[in-house]
Amino acid sequence: MTGDEVDAIVEQWRRERPGMRPEPMAVFGRIYRLARLVGNGQEKVYAAWGIGRGEFDVLAALRRSGEPYTLAPKALAASLMLTSGGMTGRLDRLERAGLVRRSPDPADRRALRVTLTDTGRRVVEESAEAGLAVQRRILDALPPADQERLADLLRTLLAAADTSGPAQ
């Protein structure tokens, strides 16, 4: 197997700082680059529906919530790790596009509910399939058993990152 840009970076660090142990860069450098490349590919796909990744994430959260595809803005913001201001901006764009509707919460007139419109549901379902095709095309470079193993390994790393706290 031939080397890539990440291998070159790791080798440069080994040469310049022999005691550094840059091996984690071989893993995380590739994870970062892969996430950026796949994310950029998905962004291009979503543009065909007039949305970006941020808007897709909101629509997808509503669609995954099940019928009636309605959530409180606060619940949406929490699930997407957004500030209320960031969520408001996304909801404004989606509402202007006719993909979501905001309405008073019947249980609390001071609160709002966000509901996926029929158009929004069509957009998120179609764009999700197209986004998955981007991911599938890349993942198909690995046999199915390796795909499962990779998912397991990444789950383990993610759990370790979640429990290790901020970097020291």
Side-chain angles (χ1 to χ4, degrees):
M1 185 174 272
T2 60
D4 61 12
E5 293 174 355
V6 176
D7 288 323
I9 291 167
V10 170
E11 283 309 310
Q12 288 167 343
W13 277 113
R14 282 190 179 126
R15 181 188 69 232
E16 296 299 317
R17 297 280 314 273
M20 181 186 258
R21 297 182 56 222
E23 294 80 12
M25 289 178 190
V27 173
F28 293 102
R30 287 184 179 96
I31 289 172
Y32 296 145
R33 287 168 185 247
L34 184 59
R36 186 177 65 239
L37 289 169
V38 173
N40 289 346
Q42 289 180 284
E43 190 77 44
K44 287 177 187 171
V45 166
Y46 297 153
W49 284 270
I51 59 174
R53 271 186 288 186
E55 289 80 18
F56 172 83
D57 289 344
V58 173
L59 297 173
L62 287 165
R63 177 60 182 91
R64 290 190 320 263
S65 72
E67 286 194 64
Y69 314 117
T70 300
L71 292 170
K74 192 176 220 174
L76 270 171
S79 74
L80 299 175
M81 296 184 288
L82 289 173
T83 65
S84 61
M87 179 55 65
T88 298
R90 288 185 190 181
L91 292 176
D92 287 346
R93 288 188 296 277
L94 289 167
E95 191 169 41
R96 278 193 304 270
L99 303 177
V100 301
R101 178 180 62 255
R102 285 184 269 202
S103 56
D105 186 329
D108 180 355
R109 292 193 315 198
R110 297 168 297 166
L112 291 175
R113 303 292 287 173
V114 179
T115 303
L116 196 58
T117 64
D118 290 341
T119 302
R121 182 175 174 191
R122 180 188 54 77
V123 165
V124 72
E125 288 176 357
E126 291 175 5
S127 62
E129 286 292 336
L132 283 169
V134 169
Q135 294 173 344
R136 210 173 279 115
R137 181 181 55 78
I138 294 162
L139 208 49
D140 281 348
L142 298 174
D146 287 350
Q147 292 178 30
E148 287 182 37
R149 178 77 176 129
L150 178 59
D152 290 342
L153 292 169
L154 291 171
R155 185 181 304 105
T156 300
L157 288 178
L158 187 56
D162 282 348
T163 60
S164 65
Q168 301 297 324

